[in-house]
Amino acid sequence: MKYNNINDLMIQIRHIMIDRDIRQSDISNNTGWSRQTVSNLLACRRDSINIDTLVRLCDAIDCDLYIDIQP
């Protein structure tokens, strides 16, 4: 799936959370981040997000992150 911006990616993550009944507090417990940090990430209240953060977030919801670079 192609994502045009971080908001599209967070929408997909929130859908996975709903499907798997994962709460923000679960992510907070799995990552050590505060609940506010998790909330800010999921609501795209950050200017940018790095790969390490995406990997930790995906690990917390038991998903794989694939990056594909095409010409």
Side-chain angles (χ1 to χ4, degrees), residues 2 7-8 13 44 63 67 69-71:
K2 182 178 177 181
N7 189 51
D8 292 345
I13 288 174
C44 299
C63 287
I67 299 172
I69 300 171
Q70 298 179 355

Side-chain angles (χ1 to χ4, degrees), residues 24-35 37-38 41 52-61:
Q24 290 182 10
S25 59
D26 298 326
I27 294 172
S28 179
N29 291 336
N30 289 336
T31 61
W33 298 331
S34 71
R35 190 178 173 290
T37 297
V38 174
L41 281 171
D52 292 332
T53 301
L54 280 175
V55 169
R56 285 182 66 186
L57 184 55
C58 288
D59 286 346
I61 62 172

Side-chain angles (χ1 to χ4, degrees), residues 3-62:
Y3 299 101
N4 294 315
N5 56 50
I6 195 68
N7 189 51
D8 292 345
L9 185 61
M10 290 304 150
I11 289 170
Q12 181 67 29
I13 288 174
R14 288 192 302 266
H15 281 281
I16 292 168
M17 290 172 62
I18 291 167
D19 291 345
R20 296 183 178 180
D21 194 31
I22 298 172
R23 293 177 170 70
Q24 290 182 10
S25 59
D26 298 326
I27 294 172
S28 179
N29 291 336
N30 289 336
T31 61
W33 298 331
S34 71
R35 190 178 173 290
Q36 186 64 41
T37 297
V38 174
S39 177
N40 288 340
L41 281 171
L42 295 174
C44 299
R45 290 189 200 113
R46 290 184 152 195
D47 293 334
S48 64
I49 186 170
N50 64 38
I51 293 293
D52 292 332
T53 301
L54 280 175
V55 169
R56 285 182 66 186
L57 184 55
C58 288
D59 286 346
I61 62 172
D62 195 28

